[in-house]
Amino acid sequence: IHITRLPTLSRSKVILKPPRRASNNKRRRSTRLLISIIKLQMSASKTVAIFFSSGAFGDCARHAILHAMDSEQISKIKVYASKKNMPSLDDANWKCGCEVDHGAEMKKSPNFSKIEMITIDVTNKDEMESKLDLVGVDAVISGLGNRQIFHGDRVGRKGTRNVGKAMAKANIDRIVAMSSMGVNEDKPCMEWRTEGKFMAALFNTVSRREYKDIAGMENDVRATDLNYLLVRPVGLGEGCVPRGEYFIQKKKFEDALGPNMAKSDVGRFLLDQVLTPTYEKSAVVIGADPKEAYDSFERAGMASNEGEEKETTKK
């Protein structure tokens, strides 16, 4: 048994008094402290607006919606898409290798109430002014545009420009936007693989309009005061299995990436860069495990490889 010796009281007279009631100033300070704590807790809960069109860019943005639903840091998700594309949220497969019924799982989720769906034509100025409400939104994720041959839906530049104007009016600073490898200064495309030359050839010929739309979007965003991140994923094969990880090319010509990346993992990166921005006013090339950098495209990204989110370089 441990005994602690208490100090001996001096012989000076000890007068016990009843405790004083808290002064008005103290009560006011306590109230202000409580209000500050509540505000801090509320500020940790974010509202995100997610725009998507058809194509692989939109597929990644749709997966970002799923990740946002599961995030305790997200309290509300405002989803904007055209009348043609919004119903794609009900589809079982979102052109991915997730092997789950996304449409059914989303509606069954206890967090489905976070979502507000608004149909809108992002290229229509009148619709954007009447339907787009970004009040209370903390950040924007854009999956507008695409890089696919003959796909259409080239709304990247005009749509993102209209979104950017609305963000400026609502004093929203952060936008994380889908883009593509091989755009603007990211040339040559996928310099460590021959598929990069094929992609460059497409951009110079049959996909010239897609390239112009994406590159124009990037240039317009860079000309704004927004705190932007342009995300340039490689791969996005429809059968690519999600792994819960992503890798960033830190330095061109030195760092290689796995050439086939799951759309779900890109969606996770989009959301992560909203919640905890680590890249600001920049563009990044993102891909799969560098260990697969020189595997065949068909094999890369097909096998599950559990792990946490990572940013790495080729050693």
mmCIF file with all atom_site columns, all heavy atoms in Angstrom, residues 11 14 41 48 62 82 126 131 143 162 165 176 195 205 218 226 228 248 261 268 273 278 304 308-309:
data_model
loop_
_atom_site.group_PDB
_atom_site.id
_atom_site.type_symbol
_atom_site.label_atom_id
_atom_site.label_alt_id
_atom_site.label_comp_id
_atom_site.label_asym_id
_atom_site.label_entity_id
_atom_site.label_seq_id
_atom_site.pdbx_PDB_ins_code
_atom_site.Cartn_x
_atom_site.Cartn_y
_atom_site.Cartn_z
_atom_site.occupancy
_atom_site.B_iso_or_equiv
_atom_site.pdbx_formal_charge
_atom_site.auth_seq_id
_atom_site.auth_comp_id
_atom_site.auth_asym_id
_atom_site.auth_atom_id
_atom_site.pdbx_PDB_model_num
ATOM 1   N N   . ARG A 1 11  ? -0.250  26.930 11.746  1.00 0.00 ? 11  ARG A N   1
ATOM 2   C CA  . ARG A 1 11  ? -1.165  27.327 12.808  1.00 0.00 ? 11  ARG A CA  1
ATOM 3   C C   . ARG A 1 11  ? -1.961  28.566 12.465  1.00 0.00 ? 11  ARG A C   1
ATOM 4   O O   . ARG A 1 11  ? -2.746  29.029 13.257  1.00 0.00 ? 11  ARG A O   1
ATOM 5   C CB  . ARG A 1 11  ? -0.363  27.561 14.101  1.00 0.00 ? 11  ARG A CB  1
ATOM 6   C CG  . ARG A 1 11  ? 0.250   26.291 14.631  1.00 0.00 ? 11  ARG A CG  1
ATOM 7   C CD  . ARG A 1 11  ? 0.933   26.557 15.958  1.00 0.00 ? 11  ARG A CD  1
ATOM 8   N NE  . ARG A 1 11  ? 1.508   25.347 16.485  1.00 0.00 ? 11  ARG A NE  1
ATOM 9   C CZ  . ARG A 1 11  ? 2.162   25.270 17.654  1.00 0.00 ? 11  ARG A CZ  1
ATOM 10  N NH1 . ARG A 1 11  ? 2.300   26.381 18.400  1.00 0.00 ? 11  ARG A NH1 1
ATOM 11  N NH2 . ARG A 1 11  ? 2.668   24.130 18.067  1.00 0.00 ? 11  ARG A NH2 1
ATOM 12  N N   . VAL A 1 14  ? -7.476  29.343 9.565   1.00 0.00 ? 14  VAL A N   1
ATOM 13  C CA  . VAL A 1 14  ? -8.050  28.966 8.268   1.00 0.00 ? 14  VAL A CA  1
ATOM 14  C C   . VAL A 1 14  ? -9.526  29.275 8.303   1.00 0.00 ? 14  VAL A C   1
ATOM 15  O O   . VAL A 1 14  ? -10.236 28.816 9.188   1.00 0.00 ? 14  VAL A O   1
ATOM 16  C CB  . VAL A 1 14  ? -7.832  27.474 7.979   1.00 0.00 ? 14  VAL A CB  1
ATOM 17  C CG1 . VAL A 1 14  ? -8.498  27.102 6.656   1.00 0.00 ? 14  VAL A CG1 1
ATOM 18  C CG2 . VAL A 1 14  ? -6.348  27.160 7.950   1.00 0.00 ? 14  VAL A CG2 1
ATOM 19  N N   . GLN A 1 41  ? -16.597 21.988 -34.464 1.00 0.00 ? 41  GLN A N   1
ATOM 20  C CA  . GLN A 1 41  ? -17.138 20.699 -34.861 1.00 0.00 ? 41  GLN A CA  1
ATOM 21  C C   . GLN A 1 41  ? -17.899 20.807 -36.177 1.00 0.00 ? 41  GLN A C   1
ATOM 22  O O   . GLN A 1 41  ? -17.810 19.926 -37.035 1.00 0.00 ? 41  GLN A O   1
ATOM 23  C CB  . GLN A 1 41  ? -18.057 20.152 -33.762 1.00 0.00 ? 41  GLN A CB  1
ATOM 24  C CG  . GLN A 1 41  ? -17.320 19.737 -32.507 1.00 0.00 ? 41  GLN A CG  1
ATOM 25  C CD  . GLN A 1 41  ? -18.268 19.331 -31.382 1.00 0.00 ? 41  GLN A CD  1
ATOM 26  O OE1 . GLN A 1 41  ? -19.442 19.693 -31.369 1.00 0.00 ? 41  GLN A OE1 1
ATOM 27  N NE2 . GLN A 1 41  ? -17.749 18.572 -30.435 1.00 0.00 ? 41  GLN A NE2 1
ATOM 28  N N   . VAL A 1 48  ? -19.787 19.154 -50.202 1.00 0.00 ? 48  VAL A N   1
ATOM 29  C CA  . VAL A 1 48  ? -19.056 19.103 -51.459 1.00 0.00 ? 48  VAL A CA  1
ATOM 30  C C   . VAL A 1 48  ? -20.043 19.046 -52.616 1.00 0.00 ? 48  VAL A C   1
ATOM 31  O O   . VAL A 1 48  ? -21.094 18.406 -52.528 1.00 0.00 ? 48  VAL A O   1
ATOM 32  C CB  . VAL A 1 48  ? -18.103 17.881 -51.498 1.00 0.00 ? 48  VAL A CB  1
ATOM 33  C CG1 . VAL A 1 48  ? -18.861 16.576 -51.367 1.00 0.00 ? 48  VAL A CG1 1
ATOM 34  C CG2 . VAL A 1 48  ? -17.262 17.876 -52.765 1.00 0.00 ? 48  VAL A CG2 1
ATOM 35  N N   . ARG A 1 62  ? -18.333 9.829  -60.148 1.00 0.00 ? 62  ARG A N   1
ATOM 36  C CA  . ARG A 1 62  ? -19.408 9.058  -59.514 1.00 0.00 ? 62  ARG A CA  1
ATOM 37  C C   . ARG A 1 62  ? -18.853 8.238  -58.354 1.00 0.00 ? 62  ARG A C   1
ATOM 38  O O   . ARG A 1 62  ? -19.487 8.118  -57.304 1.00 0.00 ? 62  ARG A O   1
ATOM 39  C CB  . ARG A 1 62  ? -20.087 8.147  -60.539 1.00 0.00 ? 62  ARG A CB  1
ATOM 40  C CG  . ARG A 1 62  ? -20.994 8.876  -61.513 1.00 0.00 ? 62  ARG A CG  1
ATOM 41  C CD  . ARG A 1 62  ? -21.840 7.910  -62.317 1.00 0.00 ? 62  ARG A CD  1
ATOM 42  N NE  . ARG A 1 62  ? -21.063 7.118  -63.264 1.00 0.00 ? 62  ARG A NE  1
ATOM 43  C CZ  . ARG A 1 62  ? -21.552 6.078  -63.945 1.00 0.00 ? 62  ARG A CZ  1
ATOM 44  N NH1 . ARG A 1 62  ? -22.806 5.697  -63.760 1.00 0.00 ? 62  ARG A NH1 1
ATOM 45  N NH2 . ARG A 1 62  ? -20.784 5.418  -64.805 1.00 0.00 ? 62  ARG A NH2 1
ATOM 46  N N   . SER A 1 82  ? -26.462 16.169 -66.120 1.00 0.00 ? 82  SER A N   1
ATOM 47  C CA  . SER A 1 82  ? -27.520 16.429 -67.088 1.00 0.00 ? 82  SER A CA  1
ATOM 48  C C   . SER A 1 82  ? -28.652 15.421 -66.918 1.00 0.00 ? 82  SER A C   1
ATOM 49  O O   . SER A 1 82  ? -28.501 14.386 -66.254 1.00 0.00 ? 82  SER A O   1
ATOM 50  C CB  . SER A 1 82  ? -26.960 16.346 -68.505 1.00 0.00 ? 82  SER A CB  1
ATOM 51  O OG  . SER A 1 82  ? -26.576 15.014 -68.803 1.00 0.00 ? 82  SER A OG  1
ATOM 52  N N   . ASP A 1 126 ? -28.217 30.141 -68.685 1.00 0.00 ? 126 ASP A N   1
ATOM 53  C CA  . ASP A 1 126 ? -29.461 30.427 -67.965 1.00 0.00 ? 126 ASP A CA  1
ATOM 54  C C   . ASP A 1 126 ? -29.751 29.370 -66.911 1.00 0.00 ? 126 ASP A C   1
ATOM 55  O O   . ASP A 1 126 ? -30.172 29.695 -65.786 1.00 0.00 ? 126 ASP A O   1
ATOM 56  C CB  . ASP A 1 126 ? -30.626 30.521 -68.963 1.00 0.00 ? 126 ASP A CB  1
ATOM 57  C CG  . ASP A 1 126 ? -30.504 31.718 -69.881 1.00 0.00 ? 126 ASP A CG  1
ATOM 58  O OD1 . ASP A 1 126 ? -29.849 32.698 -69.484 1.00 0.00 ? 126 ASP A OD1 1
ATOM 59  O OD2 . ASP A 1 126 ? -31.063 31.670 -70.994 1.00 0.00 ? 126 ASP A OD2 1
ATOM 60  N N   . LYS A 1 131 ? -30.422 27.262 -61.551 1.00 0.00 ? 131 LYS A N   1
ATOM 61  C CA  . LYS A 1 131 ? -30.422 25.993 -60.815 1.00 0.00 ? 131 LYS A CA  1
ATOM 62  C C   . LYS A 1 131 ? -29.213 25.772 -59.916 1.00 0.00 ? 131 LYS A C   1
ATOM 63  O O   . LYS A 1 131 ? -29.290 25.045 -58.930 1.00 0.00 ? 131 LYS A O   1
ATOM 64  C CB  . LYS A 1 131 ? -30.503 24.822 -61.802 1.00 0.00 ? 131 LYS A CB  1
ATOM 65  C CG  . LYS A 1 131 ? -31.856 24.634 -62.452 1.00 0.00 ? 131 LYS A CG  1
ATOM 66  C CD  . LYS A 1 131 ? -31.847 23.340 -63.259 1.00 0.00 ? 131 LYS A CD  1
ATOM 67  C CE  . LYS A 1 131 ? -33.213 22.996 -63.792 1.00 0.00 ? 131 LYS A CE  1
ATOM 68  N NZ  . LYS A 1 131 ? -33.205 21.695 -64.504 1.00 0.00 ? 131 LYS A NZ  1
ATOM 69  N N   . GLY A 1 143 ? -16.024 16.192 -62.739 1.00 0.00 ? 143 GLY A N   1
ATOM 70  C CA  . GLY A 1 143 ? -15.778 15.072 -63.644 1.00 0.00 ? 143 GLY A CA  1
ATOM 71  C C   . GLY A 1 143 ? -16.383 15.376 -64.993 1.00 0.00 ? 143 GLY A C   1
ATOM 72  O O   . GLY A 1 143 ? -17.006 14.507 -65.621 1.00 0.00 ? 143 GLY A O   1
ATOM 73  N N   . ASN A 1 162 ? -18.140 27.720 -66.525 1.00 0.00 ? 162 ASN A N   1
ATOM 74  C CA  . ASN A 1 162 ? -19.363 28.195 -65.863 1.00 0.00 ? 162 ASN A CA  1
ATOM 75  C C   . ASN A 1 162 ? -19.375 27.852 -64.375 1.00 0.00 ? 162 ASN A C   1
ATOM 76  O O   . ASN A 1 162 ? -19.819 28.646 -63.541 1.00 0.00 ? 162 ASN A O   1
ATOM 77  C CB  . ASN A 1 162 ? -20.587 27.591 -66.545 1.00 0.00 ? 162 ASN A CB  1
ATOM 78  C CG  . ASN A 1 162 ? -20.847 28.185 -67.918 1.00 0.00 ? 162 ASN A CG  1
ATOM 79  O OD1 . ASN A 1 162 ? -20.438 29.316 -68.201 1.00 0.00 ? 162 ASN A OD1 1
ATOM 80  N ND2 . ASN A 1 162 ? -21.514 27.439 -68.782 1.00 0.00 ? 162 ASN A ND2 1
ATOM 81  N N   . LYS A 1 165 ? -17.091 30.318 -62.543 1.00 0.00 ? 165 LYS A N   1
ATOM 82  C CA  . LYS A 1 165 ? -17.717 31.624 -62.322 1.00 0.00 ? 165 LYS A CA  1
ATOM 83  C C   . LYS A 1 165 ? -18.668 31.576 -61.127 1.00 0.00 ? 165 LYS A C   1
ATOM 84  O O   . LYS A 1 165 ? -18.720 32.507 -60.313 1.00 0.00 ? 165 LYS A O   1
ATOM 85  C CB  . LYS A 1 165 ? -18.474 32.051 -63.580 1.00 0.00 ? 165 LYS A CB  1
ATOM 86  C CG  . LYS A 1 165 ? -17.572 32.418 -64.759 1.00 0.00 ? 165 LYS A CG  1
ATOM 87  C CD  . LYS A 1 165 ? -18.400 32.786 -65.983 1.00 0.00 ? 165 LYS A CD  1
ATOM 88  C CE  . LYS A 1 165 ? -17.509 33.143 -67.164 1.00 0.00 ? 165 LYS A CE  1
ATOM 89  N NZ  . LYS A 1 165 ? -18.315 33.449 -68.391 1.00 0.00 ? 165 LYS A NZ  1
ATOM 90  N N   . VAL A 1 176 ? -11.225 20.410 -57.505 1.00 0.00 ? 176 VAL A N   1
ATOM 91  C CA  . VAL A 1 176 ? -10.404 19.276 -57.921 1.00 0.00 ? 176 VAL A CA  1
ATOM 92  C C   . VAL A 1 176 ? -11.046 18.745 -59.192 1.00 0.00 ? 176 VAL A C   1
ATOM 93  O O   . VAL A 1 176 ? -12.176 18.247 -59.173 1.00 0.00 ? 176 VAL A O   1
ATOM 94  C CB  . VAL A 1 176 ? -10.349 18.186 -56.833 1.00 0.00 ? 176 VAL A CB  1
ATOM 95  C CG1 . VAL A 1 176 ? -9.457  17.032 -57.275 1.00 0.00 ? 176 VAL A CG1 1
ATOM 96  C CG2 . VAL A 1 176 ? -9.853  18.768 -55.514 1.00 0.00 ? 176 VAL A CG2 1
ATOM 97  N N   . GLU A 1 195 ? 2.294   2.765  -75.100 1.00 0.00 ? 195 GLU A N   1
ATOM 98  C CA  . GLU A 1 195 ? 0.906   3.211  -75.178 1.00 0.00 ? 195 GLU A CA  1
ATOM 99  C C   . GLU A 1 195 ? 0.797   4.736  -75.129 1.00 0.00 ? 195 GLU A C   1
ATOM 100 O O   . GLU A 1 195 ? -0.174  5.305  -75.621 1.00 0.00 ? 195 GLU A O   1
ATOM 101 C CB  . GLU A 1 195 ? 0.071   2.623  -74.031 1.00 0.00 ? 195 GLU A CB  1
ATOM 102 C CG  . GLU A 1 195 ? -0.211  1.148  -74.135 1.00 0.00 ? 195 GLU A CG  1
ATOM 103 C CD  . GLU A 1 195 ? 0.823   0.304  -73.414 1.00 0.00 ? 195 GLU A CD  1
ATOM 104 O OE1 . GLU A 1 195 ? 1.913   0.849  -73.101 1.00 0.00 ? 195 GLU A OE1 1
ATOM 105 O OE2 . GLU A 1 195 ? 0.541   -0.868 -73.161 1.00 0.00 ? 195 GLU A OE2 1
ATOM 106 N N   . THR A 1 205 ? -5.118  13.330 -83.811 1.00 0.00 ? 205 THR A N   1
ATOM 107 C CA  . THR A 1 205 ? -5.943  12.967 -84.972 1.00 0.00 ? 205 THR A CA  1
ATOM 108 C C   . THR A 1 205 ? -7.425  12.886 -84.595 1.00 0.00 ? 205 THR A C   1
ATOM 109 O O   . THR A 1 205 ? -8.092  13.903 -84.490 1.00 0.00 ? 205 THR A O   1
ATOM 110 C CB  . THR A 1 205 ? -5.454  11.628 -85.574 1.00 0.00 ? 205 THR A CB  1
ATOM 111 O OG1 . THR A 1 205 ? -5.433  10.620 -84.536 1.00 0.00 ? 205 THR A OG1 1
ATOM 112 C CG2 . THR A 1 205 ? -4.051  11.764 -86.161 1.00 0.00 ? 205 THR A CG2 1
ATOM 113 N N   . GLU A 1 218 ? -8.115  23.121 -68.749 1.00 0.00 ? 218 GLU A N   1
ATOM 114 C CA  . GLU A 1 218 ? -6.966  23.330 -67.867 1.00 0.00 ? 218 GLU A CA  1
ATOM 115 C C   . GLU A 1 218 ? -6.490  24.783 -67.918 1.00 0.00 ? 218 GLU A C   1
ATOM 116 O O   . GLU A 1 218 ? -6.239  25.407 -66.878 1.00 0.00 ? 218 GLU A O   1
ATOM 117 C CB  . GLU A 1 218 ? -5.820  22.404 -68.272 1.00 0.00 ? 218 GLU A CB  1
ATOM 118 C CG  . GLU A 1 218 ? -5.989  20.964 -67.870 1.00 0.00 ? 218 GLU A CG  1
ATOM 119 C CD  . GLU A 1 218 ? -4.672  20.201 -67.895 1.00 0.00 ? 218 GLU A CD  1
ATOM 120 O OE1 . GLU A 1 218 ? -3.643  20.782 -68.333 1.00 0.00 ? 218 GLU A OE1 1
ATOM 121 O OE2 . GLU A 1 218 ? -4.658  19.044 -67.478 1.00 0.00 ? 218 GLU A OE2 1
ATOM 122 N N   . LEU A 1 226 ? -8.740  30.463 -58.468 1.00 0.00 ? 226 LEU A N   1
ATOM 123 C CA  . LEU A 1 226 ? -9.137  29.279 -57.717 1.00 0.00 ? 226 LEU A CA  1
ATOM 124 C C   . LEU A 1 226 ? -7.929  28.482 -57.246 1.00 0.00 ? 226 LEU A C   1
ATOM 125 O O   . LEU A 1 226 ? -6.872  28.474 -57.893 1.00 0.00 ? 226 LEU A O   1
ATOM 126 C CB  . LEU A 1 226 ? -10.023 28.377 -58.589 1.00 0.00 ? 226 LEU A CB  1
ATOM 127 C CG  . LEU A 1 226 ? -11.364 28.951 -59.032 1.00 0.00 ? 226 LEU A CG  1
ATOM 128 C CD1 . LEU A 1 226 ? -12.045 27.985 -60.007 1.00 0.00 ? 226 LEU A CD1 1
ATOM 129 C CD2 . LEU A 1 226 ? -12.268 29.216 -57.835 1.00 0.00 ? 226 LEU A CD2 1
ATOM 130 N N   . TYR A 1 228 ? -6.859  25.303 -57.448 1.00 0.00 ? 228 TYR A N   1
ATOM 131 C CA  . TYR A 1 228 ? -7.228  24.154 -58.264 1.00 0.00 ? 228 TYR A CA  1
ATOM 132 C C   . TYR A 1 228 ? -6.222  23.005 -58.146 1.00 0.00 ? 228 TYR A C   1
ATOM 133 O O   . TYR A 1 228 ? -5.056  23.185 -57.786 1.00 0.00 ? 228 TYR A O   1
ATOM 134 C CB  . TYR A 1 228 ? -7.332  24.568 -59.739 1.00 0.00 ? 228 TYR A CB  1
ATOM 135 C CG  . TYR A 1 228 ? -6.011  25.022 -60.337 1.00 0.00 ? 228 TYR A CG  1
ATOM 136 C CD1 . TYR A 1 228 ? -5.097  24.117 -60.880 1.00 0.00 ? 228 TYR A CD1 1
ATOM 137 C CD2 . TYR A 1 228 ? -5.653  26.377 -60.342 1.00 0.00 ? 228 TYR A CD2 1
ATOM 138 C CE1 . TYR A 1 228 ? -3.882  24.530 -61.401 1.00 0.00 ? 228 TYR A CE1 1
ATOM 139 C CE2 . TYR A 1 228 ? -4.437  26.808 -60.858 1.00 0.00 ? 228 TYR A CE2 1
ATOM 140 C CZ  . TYR A 1 228 ? -3.563  25.877 -61.399 1.00 0.00 ? 228 TYR A CZ  1
ATOM 141 O OH  . TYR A 1 228 ? -2.350  26.294 -61.904 1.00 0.00 ? 228 TYR A OH  1
ATOM 142 N N   . ILE A 1 248 ? 1.556   8.906  -57.122 1.00 0.00 ? 248 ILE A N   1
ATOM 143 C CA  . ILE A 1 248 ? 1.738   10.163 -57.837 1.00 0.00 ? 248 ILE A CA  1
ATOM 144 C C   . ILE A 1 248 ? 3.098   10.175 -58.539 1.00 0.00 ? 248 ILE A C   1
ATOM 145 O O   . ILE A 1 248 ? 4.107   9.782  -57.961 1.00 0.00 ? 248 ILE A O   1
ATOM 146 C CB  . ILE A 1 248 ? 1.670   11.360 -56.873 1.00 0.00 ? 248 ILE A CB  1
ATOM 147 C CG1 . ILE A 1 248 ? 0.378   11.312 -56.050 1.00 0.00 ? 248 ILE A CG1 1
ATOM 148 C CG2 . ILE A 1 248 ? 1.775   12.678 -57.632 1.00 0.00 ? 248 ILE A CG2 1
ATOM 149 C CD1 . ILE A 1 248 ? -0.884  11.372 -56.842 1.00 0.00 ? 248 ILE A CD1 1
ATOM 150 N N   . MET A 1 261 ? -5.240  2.136  -63.817 1.00 0.00 ? 261 MET A N   1
ATOM 151 C CA  . MET A 1 261 ? -5.685  2.533  -62.486 1.00 0.00 ? 261 MET A CA  1
ATOM 152 C C   . MET A 1 261 ? -7.193  2.434  -62.377 1.00 0.00 ? 261 MET A C   1
ATOM 153 O O   . MET A 1 261 ? -7.920  2.780  -63.309 1.00 0.00 ? 261 MET A O   1
ATOM 154 C CB  . MET A 1 261 ? -5.245  3.965  -62.206 1.00 0.00 ? 261 MET A CB  1
ATOM 155 C CG  . MET A 1 261 ? -5.572  4.434  -60.809 1.00 0.00 ? 261 MET A CG  1
ATOM 156 S SD  . MET A 1 261 ? -4.979  6.088  -60.509 1.00 0.00 ? 261 MET A SD  1
ATOM 157 C CE  . MET A 1 261 ? -5.324  6.209  -58.751 1.00 0.00 ? 261 MET A CE  1
ATOM 158 N N   . ARG A 1 268 ? -11.346 8.158  -54.941 1.00 0.00 ? 268 ARG A N   1
ATOM 159 C CA  . ARG A 1 268 ? -10.849 8.336  -53.571 1.00 0.00 ? 268 ARG A CA  1
ATOM 160 C C   . ARG A 1 268 ? -9.847  9.488  -53.505 1.00 0.00 ? 268 ARG A C   1
ATOM 161 O O   . ARG A 1 268 ? -9.865  10.303 -52.574 1.00 0.00 ? 268 ARG A O   1
ATOM 162 C CB  . ARG A 1 268 ? -10.189 7.042  -53.086 1.00 0.00 ? 268 ARG A CB  1
ATOM 163 C CG  . ARG A 1 268 ? -9.648  7.115  -51.666 1.00 0.00 ? 268 ARG A CG  1
ATOM 164 C CD  . ARG A 1 268 ? -8.958  5.819  -51.281 1.00 0.00 ? 268 ARG A CD  1
ATOM 165 N NE  . ARG A 1 268 ? -9.914  4.732  -51.190 1.00 0.00 ? 268 ARG A NE  1
ATOM 166 C CZ  . ARG A 1 268 ? -10.609 4.422  -50.083 1.00 0.00 ? 268 ARG A CZ  1
ATOM 167 N NH1 . ARG A 1 268 ? -10.455 5.155  -48.999 1.00 0.00 ? 268 ARG A NH1 1
ATOM 168 N NH2 . ARG A 1 268 ? -11.429 3.409  -50.072 1.00 0.00 ? 268 ARG A NH2 1
ATOM 169 N N   . GLN A 1 273 ? -8.322  14.985 -51.812 1.00 0.00 ? 273 GLN A N   1
ATOM 170 C CA  . GLN A 1 273 ? -7.770  16.303 -52.102 1.00 0.00 ? 273 GLN A CA  1
ATOM 171 C C   . GLN A 1 273 ? -8.755  17.426 -51.780 1.00 0.00 ? 273 GLN A C   1
ATOM 172 O O   . GLN A 1 273 ? -8.392  18.596 -51.788 1.00 0.00 ? 273 GLN A O   1
ATOM 173 C CB  . GLN A 1 273 ? -7.311  16.384 -53.557 1.00 0.00 ? 273 GLN A CB  1
ATOM 174 C CG  . GLN A 1 273 ? -6.031  15.609 -53.822 1.00 0.00 ? 273 GLN A CG  1
ATOM 175 C CD  . GLN A 1 273 ? -4.874  16.114 -52.982 1.00 0.00 ? 273 GLN A CD  1
ATOM 176 O OE1 . GLN A 1 273 ? -4.605  17.320 -52.924 1.00 0.00 ? 273 GLN A OE1 1
ATOM 177 N NE2 . GLN A 1 273 ? -4.165  15.203 -52.326 1.00 0.00 ? 273 GLN A NE2 1
ATOM 178 N N   . THR A 1 278 ? -3.209  18.478 -50.523 1.00 0.00 ? 278 THR A N   1
ATOM 179 C CA  . THR A 1 278 ? -1.747  18.436 -50.470 1.00 0.00 ? 278 THR A CA  1
ATOM 180 C C   . THR A 1 278 ? -1.123  18.993 -51.747 1.00 0.00 ? 278 THR A C   1
ATOM 181 O O   . THR A 1 278 ? 0.084   19.219 -51.792 1.00 0.00 ? 278 THR A O   1
ATOM 182 C CB  . THR A 1 278 ? -1.246  16.998 -50.253 1.00 0.00 ? 278 THR A CB  1
ATOM 183 O OG1 . THR A 1 278 ? -1.801  16.139 -51.259 1.00 0.00 ? 278 THR A OG1 1
ATOM 184 C CG2 . THR A 1 278 ? -1.654  16.476 -48.887 1.00 0.00 ? 278 THR A CG2 1
ATOM 185 N N   . SER A 1 304 ? -6.085  -7.974 -57.176 1.00 0.00 ? 304 SER A N   1
ATOM 186 C CA  . SER A 1 304 ? -6.267  -7.175 -55.974 1.00 0.00 ? 304 SER A CA  1
ATOM 187 C C   . SER A 1 304 ? -4.951  -7.054 -55.231 1.00 0.00 ? 304 SER A C   1
ATOM 188 O O   . SER A 1 304 ? -4.167  -7.980 -55.159 1.00 0.00 ? 304 SER A O   1
ATOM 189 C CB  . SER A 1 304 ? -7.313  -7.819 -55.059 1.00 0.00 ? 304 SER A CB  1
ATOM 190 O OG  . SER A 1 304 ? -7.471  -7.059 -53.892 1.00 0.00 ? 304 SER A OG  1
ATOM 191 N N   . GLU A 1 308 ? -2.949  0.827  -48.182 1.00 0.00 ? 308 GLU A N   1
ATOM 192 C CA  . GLU A 1 308 ? -3.472  2.140  -47.877 1.00 0.00 ? 308 GLU A CA  1
ATOM 193 C C   . GLU A 1 308 ? -3.043  3.103  -48.962 1.00 0.00 ? 308 GLU A C   1
ATOM 194 O O   . GLU A 1 308 ? -2.167  2.816  -49.777 1.00 0.00 ? 308 GLU A O   1
ATOM 195 C CB  . GLU A 1 308 ? -2.948  2.607  -46.518 1.00 0.00 ? 308 GLU A CB  1
ATOM 196 C CG  . GLU A 1 308 ? -3.417  1.711  -45.369 1.00 0.00 ? 308 GLU A CG  1
ATOM 197 C CD  . GLU A 1 308 ? -2.883  2.206  -44.044 1.00 0.00 ? 308 GLU A CD  1
ATOM 198 O OE1 . GLU A 1 308 ? -2.089  3.168  -44.066 1.00 0.00 ? 308 GLU A OE1 1
ATOM 199 O OE2 . GLU A 1 308 ? -3.252  1.652  -43.013 1.00 0.00 ? 308 GLU A OE2 1
ATOM 200 N N   . GLU A 1 309 ? -3.678  4.290  -48.950 1.00 0.00 ? 309 GLU A N   1
ATOM 201 C CA  . GLU A 1 309 ? -3.339  5.304  -49.932 1.00 0.00 ? 309 GLU A CA  1
ATOM 202 C C   . GLU A 1 309 ? -1.861  5.657  -49.800 1.00 0.00 ? 309 GLU A C   1
ATOM 203 O O   . GLU A 1 309 ? -1.339  5.832  -48.711 1.00 0.00 ? 309 GLU A O   1
ATOM 204 C CB  . GLU A 1 309 ? -4.169  6.584  -49.694 1.00 0.00 ? 309 GLU A CB  1
ATOM 205 C CG  . GLU A 1 309 ? -5.626  6.407  -49.975 1.00 0.00 ? 309 GLU A CG  1
ATOM 206 C CD  . GLU A 1 309 ? -6.364  5.814  -48.790 1.00 0.00 ? 309 GLU A CD  1
ATOM 207 O OE1 . GLU A 1 309 ? -5.725  5.547  -47.768 1.00 0.00 ? 309 GLU A OE1 1
ATOM 208 O OE2 . GLU A 1 309 ? -7.570  5.640  -48.888 1.00 0.00 ? 309 GLU A OE2 1
#
